[in-house]
Amino acid sequence: MELPEELLSIPYSRDVPFRKLTTLGLGGVCRWLFEPVTEGQARRFVKTCRAFNLNYRVLGGGSNLLALSDVTVPVMRLALPKELSVTENRVYASASYSHPALARDVADMGLSGIEWACGIPGSFGGALRMNAGAHGGEWGRVVDCVRFLTADGEIIEKKTAISDFSYRSSFLAAGHIALGAWFDLTKGDAGAIKKKMGEYLSIRRQRQPTGRTAGSVFKNPPGKIAGQLIESAGLKGVRIGNAEVSSIHSNFLVNLGDASPSDYWELVKYVRAKVAEAHDCQLELEIEVWSEPKAIF
Ligand SMILES: Cc1cc2nc3c(=O)[nH]c(=O)nc-3n(C[C@H](O)[C@H](O)[C@H](O)COP(=O)(O)OP(=O)(O)OC[C@H]3O[C@@H](n4cnc5c(N)ncnc54)[C@H](O)[C@@H]3O)c2cc1C
């Protein structure tokens, strides 16, 4: 695919395997990976794609993503400076900030309120888009104002309400790109904050596999827990090629080493079909699937 000159003035790499771009560690090749280092470059990316009617995708830390095929459309991964500014209890972090590092860094400053975020991988931008959450906390309840780029390339600062977020989604899903966000924390004791984070991490170590995964593959259906439905359908440990339903947490499907995208995808579909059969319940994907052509689920 030929791309306009305006895009090629933004830092980019060619033919990067999704193995290196995602926590799952499998998939095709990202043909065009653009990594704007300024908001201006990110704007130029979006405006140029818009002007040339080009589809594009946005990548964060790749921790919620299954890339089944090569992706030929331009992919943008923000490489903005990792900005963290704190005034009193008010924090601004840029979207490129590592999500677990953000939780650790504010804890070091004795700021409490996002201890729950410490074990969730990826970028802050991806976490805002996904309304990432754990242990009863989620971004929708914490964030106050989001700075983002619209699909027209305009930069907007939006004061957010809880209604802008939902279970593993947010208003950003409408094609907006998070550039950063403000949120208010409370002053606390750094030792106590880190102790809480240590407890959360220890729970994760006990309940989640350590191999290559994308976290929970399916959303919890209302009033139910996807992992329990999968386990009670007898699927724990089921394997297709080198893709396996974790025996520690059934909603985690693990790439055991060199699982092929098709092994992994077949396992996802198999689990969903078996759960539908056993429980009359259609599981919805929590992970995002990138595929050309679009994968049928
Ligand atoms: C071991 C493990 C444990 C996990 N535990 C949890 C958990 O407890 N709770 C939880 O909620 N999730 C969990 N996850 C899933 C994942 O970490 C979160 O969804 C995370 O917030 C995704 O962020 P990311 O930067 O990796 O996004 P990516 O996977 O790169 O992208 C996810 C989505 O966000 C979009 N996106 C990325 N950056 C931006 C941006 N700047 N602006 C707009 N959209 C953007 C992408 O286009 C895509 O739609 C876990 C994953 C793993 C591997």
Side-chain angles (χ1 to χ4, degrees), residues 58 60-64 121-123 127 129 132-133 168 176 178 204 213 215 288:
V58 178
S63 64
N64 199 49
S123 64
R129 155 67 183 84
R168 299 299 167 263
H176 304 315
R204 269 179 200 273
T213 74
E288 186 162 313

Side-chain angles (χ1 to χ4, degrees), residues 116-189:
W116 51 266
C118 63
I120 306 178
S123 64
F124 182 42
L128 291 168
R129 155 67 183 84
M130 293 305 300
N131 187 20
H135 313 288
E138 59 178 10
W139 276 107
R141 293 180 189 283
V142 178
V143 79
D144 177 58
C145 181
V146 178
R147 182 174 169 84
F148 65 95
L149 197 52
T150 67
D152 294 329
E154 299 311 315
I155 292 181
I156 291 184
E157 287 174 6
K158 174 183 164 73
K159 196 159 169 60
T160 49
I162 187 78
S163 54
D164 292 312
F165 296 84
S166 57
Y167 174 45
R168 299 299 167 263
S169 192
S170 70
F171 73 97
L172 294 164
H176 304 315
I177 300 168
L179 298 170
W182 288 264
F183 50 97
D184 296 303
L185 299 176
T186 51
K187 284 254 183 316
D189 170 61

